[in-house]
Amino acid sequence: MMLAAVLLLLALVLPGLPLGQWRAFALDTAQFAFLISGLALAWDLLARTGQLSLAHGAFFGLGAYAAALSAPALGTVPALLVGGAVAALFSLLLGLATLRLHGMYFAIATLAFSEVMRTLVLKAQFTGGSIGLPVQPAFGGAYPLGGYYLAVAVLVICTVTSLLLSRSRLHYAMAATRQGEAVARVLGVPVVRVKLVTFMISAFLAGLAGGVYAMKTLFLSPYDAFGLGRAVEALVIPIFGGLYTTTGPLLGGLIIVSLETWLRLRIGEGYLVVYGVVLVLTILFLPKGLMSLFARRKGARHA
């Protein structure tokens, strides 16, 4: 909790720090890290019900396209909300069809959904198809740091949502669902409804992050917005940082995105191989992620 507060405070004051010639690069990397951390936090919410989703890259892309298409008519903030709402609507439809599936069957169904969405956007005329879609900057470009602070706002919204859910009755229903659906049903937990509500909240946050991402890049292509890499990022970061926590995805996002930026400059798309290695090493040696190191230290201090 304290670490999360420090990271958010650092995000707010970063533009005021004396960064010299690295200022533009640092702010751009930080903005991307905030958005991907927000996406990872959104993914982690659904993981708390025991479901492994590969659809969050698609929700991110749907939010990006919906916000980009509606921004000229509605303005920046309403367009971002539209992006989140469109992602939540698609998650409702997908959830009604798939949330009774478990494990790899649910993961495969969500992966298929992502591919279908990417193909539809690729073929549609109003999305620009394979040529891509130019995007209006946040607030029409009137505020140079507008996009940066929107990314901070998305991260704060995702963090606050995660914290509020972790203190709610829904949290206990999510944990019971994850630990054993049959027992949860006997205890009176409406398992499918819990997963569906969580899926929609999670997709809304992913769509919100996607909308700000569109206004950051100023251009969307189906290959980037709906790429498998985005779904992999959403999954790897919470596993690396610490599943079912708020601070874990924040810390994991900061480290992984910084590593990705550095690797992209040297090996291009090969950074996905490094993601795979990081995932395997984390599962082998830190099954509860980086947050387990803090827990061990805290435990040793109290021993």
Side-chain angles (χ1 to χ4, degrees):
M1 177 66 186
M2 181 62 74
L3 184 56
V6 170
L7 291 175
L8 292 177
L9 183 62
L10 180 62
L12 285 171
V13 303
L14 186 63
L17 297 179
L19 301 171
Q21 61 178 339
W22 296 99
R23 176 182 167 81
F25 178 76
L27 293 184
D28 187 71
T29 303
Q31 188 178 350
F32 186 60
F34 301 156
L35 294 175
I36 299 304
S37 297
L39 175 65
L41 267 170
W43 183 91
D44 188 72
L45 293 182
L46 183 65
R48 295 176 195 181
T49 67
Q51 295 292 55
L52 180 67
S53 169
L54 292 174
H56 278 65
F59 297 141
F60 187 87
L62 284 168
Y65 270 91
L69 290 168
S70 58
L74 301 178
T76 296
V77 174
L80 293 176
L81 295 176
V82 167
V86 168
L89 176 62
F90 274 85
S91 74
L92 172 64
L93 300 175
L94 177 64
L96 289 172
T98 62
L99 277 173
R100 293 181 190 278
L101 301 175
H102 302 95
M104 68 175 180
Y105 299 105
F106 179 75
I108 291 170
T110 53
L111 178 62
F113 169 79
S114 297
E115 286 302 303
V116 169
M117 287 297 107
R118 186 170 68 90
T119 304
L120 290 176
V121 171
L122 193 61
K123 299 296 182 186
Q125 294 292 322
F126 69 94
T127 61
S130 60
I131 297 173
L133 181 72
V135 183
Q136 175 179 292
F139 306 110
Y143 306 102
L145 287 174
Y148 176 86
Y149 282 114
L150 278 177
V152 175
V154 166
L155 189 61
V156 170
I157 291 170
C158 293
T159 303
V160 170
T161 303
S162 175
L163 289 172
L164 289 177
L165 282 179
S166 67
R167 289 161 173 75
S168 69
R169 292 180 62 184
L170 182 59
H171 167 75
Y172 297 105
M174 291 156 66
T177 301
R178 183 178 75 246
Q179 290 166 7
E181 287 193 16
V183 176
R185 282 196 182 92
V186 171
L187 294 174
V189 177
V191 170
V192 175
R193 197 189 312 162
V194 166
K195 289 196 282 189
L196 192 58
V197 170
T198 310
F199 201 21
M200 291 179 67
I201 295 172
S202 174
F204 178 84
L205 296 177
L208 209 56
V212 179
Y213 173 79
M215 295 174 190
K216 171 187 179 296
T217 59
L218 304 181
F219 184 81
L220 288 175
S221 86
Y223 303 105
D224 182 41
F226 290 88
L228 181 60
R230 202 65 67 209
V232 173
E233 284 172 331
L235 179 151
V236 168
I237 288 172
I239 293 175
F240 176 70
L243 281 169
Y244 321 136
T245 66
T246 299
T247 307
L250 289 178
L251 188 61
L254 186 66
I255 295 172
I256 291 284
V257 173
S258 301
L259 179 65
E260 174 187 327
T261 303
W262 182 73
L263 288 171
R264 272 182 185 270
L265 295 173
R266 284 157 178 78
I267 56 175
E269 293 301 314
Y271 79 93
L272 287 171
V273 176
V274 179
Y275 266 27
V277 173
V278 169
L279 183 61
V280 170
L281 292 177
T282 303
I283 291 171
L284 285 175
F285 299 106
L286 282 175
K288 294 184 179 178
L290 291 179
M291 294 308 296
S292 62
L293 294 177
F294 293 99
R296 282 181 204 168
R297 219 175 142 184
K298 192 174 177 182
R301 198 180 304 138
H302 290 289

